[in-house]
Structure formats: C-alpha cells, structure tokens
Amino acid sequence: MNNNQFSYHITKYFSEYLPSVKGVSNKTIQSYRDTFVIFLDYIHEVYKLNINKLSIHDIDEIIIEKFLECLENNRKNSISTRNQRLAALHSFYRYLQKRELSCYDLCSRILSIPNKKTPTKTISYFSVDEITKLINMPNTKTKDGFRDYTLLLFMYETAARAQEVADLKVNQLILGENSSVILTGKGNKSRRIPITNELSQTLDKYIKTFHITEDEIIFKNRRNEKLTTKGIEYILYKYIKNCKATYPKQFKNHYSNHSMRHSRAMHLLESGINLIYIRDILGHSSVVTTEIYAKTNAIIKEKQIREHSKNLQVKERYSENQKADLLKYLKNLK
C-alpha cells in the first residue's frame, strides 16, 4: 500500500497506535472513529474526493477549518463538540507528523488550528446538608431503596464517574480494615480510593443481600442487568425530584451524574484537603484541571480573603506636605 495514502495511515492509527502504543480506552477509540466517519463523509460530499484513494496531501488546514465551521453551522454542534472533533484530528496529525516527514509542515499547520473558547460553565454541586438529605432519601427497607442508598453513598464518597460506577465489580473492593476501592477511569488509569467504615459495611451488607459473586457487576436493575449510566442518572434524578418536593427552599441548581463528583471535590476542598489529594481521588491527570474547584468555590474565596486581608494594609505613598505640593503642581500644570 502507498504510504502517502490516507487510508494506510488511518488504519495503522486505529489498529495499532491508539490501542497498543497509547493504550487508550475503547470509548476514546469509538469517539475518534465517529469524528473520522463524519469528517470523511464531509470530504466526500463537499469535495467529491474518493475516500479510498485519498492522499494525505489532499487534506490541508483550510479544509479542516471549513469542516469545523460545518459542524457548528450546519450540524448545529456545540463549541464543546467542535473542540472534541478537533482534538481527535489533532491526535491523528500528531501521530502522522512523526511518521511521515514529507507532510511535517502540513501537520504543523493543522496542529496550529486552535480550540474555540467556550463559555465558562458553573459547576453544579450539592451543599453538605443537601447531599445528606439526598443520600438518606431512599427507603432502605425495600431492596430497590437499599440499592439506591448504596449507589448514592458510593457515588458521593468515592467521587466516581458514572461509567466507573456502572462498571464496578466486587473484586475491585477491599473491605475490612483500611477499606478502599480500585477505580479504572479515563485512559485505563487505575486509582485506589479509601472509603469510610460506613460505606464499607454498607457495601458488605449489600453484596450479601443480593448474593453478588466476586467477578459480578455490583449495581444492577430489576432485570438483574448491569445499570447503565442512563439508569444511574434516572435513579439520581428521581431522588433529586423527591428532595425538591420535600425541601422546596433547597436543591435549586440543575444537576447531573457529575454533580455528586463535584460535590465531593468541593466538600473536601472546604475541609482543607490539599488539591493534590483531591486530584488523585478524582483521577485527574493534572492538578490544573482540579483547580477549577478552588476558582469557583465561594466559601474558599471568602476564607482566603478573610485570612489574608489583615496583612493587606495599604500604606500612604505621600506625606501631607508632599500631597499639597503635588496638588499645587497638578493645578499649575499647563
């Protein structure tokens, strides 16, 4: 196969580089695949090019910029989605740049296409009082209620992503003394999260009640099938709705599965836990990502201002005589 053919490099990229070299998750591969399906359809429809005979030099930064415009204007994609598509394209051209020197400059120009700025989103999270009421809302005397209580408690205390909760198996739990759970997140990176005795005992009771074996999924629906992220979202929304009805002066924000994760991060931050440890619990690759919680938390901002304001005493720059002379100078200035 001609090494200048686009199909040759895209096949190598998806079959070898992403799964074996980079070790990215199947979810990421599927997301990148979807981007290239949309992109190649666009190339075929707009430029009438034969995809199977496409050369790597047939695509340049102008075509990609036009594609990004099409995503926003024609497909009505959000800026966030547009940036995700660009990230997939950037990933491929970074790969290509190191393997095909003949298109090094072309790749550089494509890699210089910037992300579009997105409006800053407000992080939605529960107060400590709200999270307590939410977790205790299920009726634990019923099997469904006990499952939902365990689910909500686990989501909050571990700050796990919804997919991590859906994929959770018994063999990921270490219960007893110094209890913890091992979660596998983005990029197949694992992290170990310590859990309280309350959650440990609840999980132990839950596993025994539902007779869950070592390699089984923990959270299931009534058909004994694995809960999906949509199923988890449905359960969460059901109890948020109940809380809104029971406590009309609270629960005013718009919530999602991620709100449990946001809440845990915010509450740890308010308790004085270092951002580095919060980063490790959340599974962020960089503390810069975690810093968003410090930037948006009003309690932390107020605390910092109060602690440091006493040291910010403004000193007079001029004496009274100097100020009089300065005013005289300014008034006589022509």
Side-chain angles (χ1 to χ4, degrees), residues 6 9-10 13 36 87-97:
F6 190 86
H9 291 287
I10 206 72
Y13 174 73
F36 278 93
L89 292 168
H90 275 171
S91 174
F92 171 71
Y93 280 97
R94 274 193 297 270
Y95 158 84
L96 186 61
Q97 188 179 46

Side-chain angles (χ1 to χ4, degrees), residues 238-256:
K238 178 175 72 173
Y239 291 107
I240 290 174
K241 184 179 179 180
N242 291 346
C243 284
K244 284 177 180 285
T246 308
Y247 309 102
K249 292 184 179 180
Q250 294 180 286
F251 299 91
K252 297 293 186 181
N253 292 329
H254 296 286
Y255 304 103
S256 67

Side-chain angles (χ1 to χ4, degrees), residues 4-250:
N4 280 328
Q5 278 195 305
F6 190 86
S7 58
Y8 170 81
H9 291 287
I10 206 72
T11 302
K12 288 282 187 181
Y13 174 73
F14 276 102
S15 64
E16 298 176 10
Y17 179 72
L18 286 180
S20 302
V21 179
K22 291 291 287 183
V24 301
S25 66
N26 288 332
K27 190 174 182 180
T28 299
I29 292 174
Q30 289 168 6
S31 175
Y32 283 12
R33 175 207 62 194
D34 292 344
T35 293
F36 278 93
V37 168
I38 297 169
F39 179 57
L40 292 174
D41 280 345
Y42 168 83
I43 293 292
H44 177 67
E45 290 175 13
V46 176
Y47 296 96
K48 310 303 179 186
L49 295 173
N50 186 329
I51 301 304
N52 294 322
K53 295 181 180 180
L54 199 63
S55 165
I56 55 177
H57 297 284
D58 288 333
I59 300 171
D60 60 16
E61 72 279 11
I62 296 173
I63 288 178
I64 290 181
E65 286 170 349
K66 293 292 183 183
F67 168 67
L68 297 173
E69 288 177 14
C70 176
L71 291 178
E72 285 191 75
N73 300 330
N74 298 352
R75 295 179 66 90
K76 305 302 180 185
N77 286 168
S78 66
I79 295 174
S80 176
T81 300
R82 178 254 191 213
N83 289 342
Q84 287 173 4
R85 301 299 186 202
L86 178 58
L89 292 168
H90 275 171
S91 174
F92 171 71
Y93 280 97
R94 274 193 297 270
Y95 158 84
L96 186 61
Q97 188 179 46
K98 295 175 182 177
R99 287 159 179 79
E100 193 59 51
L101 293 179
S102 66
C103 64
Y104 185 90
D105 289 340
L106 171 65
C107 292
S108 295
R109 294 197 302 273
I110 292 172
L111 290 171
S112 69
I113 299 173
N115 279 333
K116 198 167 187 178
K117 288 187 177 179
T118 57
T120 304
K121 292 183 179 179
T122 302
I123 292 179
S124 176
Y125 65 100
F126 304 98
S127 68
V128 173
D129 183 51
E130 286 174 336
I131 202 70
T132 302
K133 288 173 177 173
L134 176 64
I135 291 173
N136 287 293
M137 183 58 69
N139 178 9
T140 55
K141 292 180 180 179
T142 67
K143 274 198 167 186
D144 282 353
F146 182 46
R147 178 204 61 190
D148 296 347
Y149 168 78
T150 308
L151 174 70
L152 295 176
L153 182 62
F154 182 87
M155 287 178 71
Y156 171 69
E157 191 166 308
T158 62
R161 298 178 179 91
Q163 191 61 57
E164 293 170 345
V165 177
D167 293 339
L168 186 71
K169 293 184 177 181
V170 176
N171 55 24
Q172 292 174 245
L173 301 175
I174 303 167
L175 304 180
E177 192 174 352
N178 299 321
S179 298
S180 61
V181 58
I182 298 172
L183 298 176
T184 302
K186 292 182 178 180
N188 289 322
K189 294 178 182 177
S190 295
R191 63 192 189 279
R192 184 168 175 169
I193 311 295
I195 59 176
T196 61
N197 287 333
E198 179 188 359
L199 178 56
S200 175
Q201 291 168 7
T202 300
L203 285 167
D204 185 57
K205 180 180 176 182
Y206 177 87
I207 291 164
K208 291 174 181 175
T209 300
F210 288 89
H211 309 289
I212 306 172
T213 58
E214 186 74 9
D215 59 349
E216 266 191 282
I217 290 289
I218 291 180
F219 296 111
K220 301 178 182 179
N221 59 26
R222 289 181 178 179
R223 296 186 298 274
N224 204 36
E225 298 169 344
K226 172 183 173 180
L227 267 180
T228 63
T229 56
K230 287 293 183 184
I232 292 170
E233 185 176 64
Y234 173 81
I235 292 169
L236 177 61
Y237 281 0
K238 178 175 72 173
Y239 291 107
I240 290 174
K241 184 179 179 180
N242 291 346
C243 284
K244 284 177 180 285
T246 308
Y247 309 102
K249 292 184 179 180
Q250 294 180 286

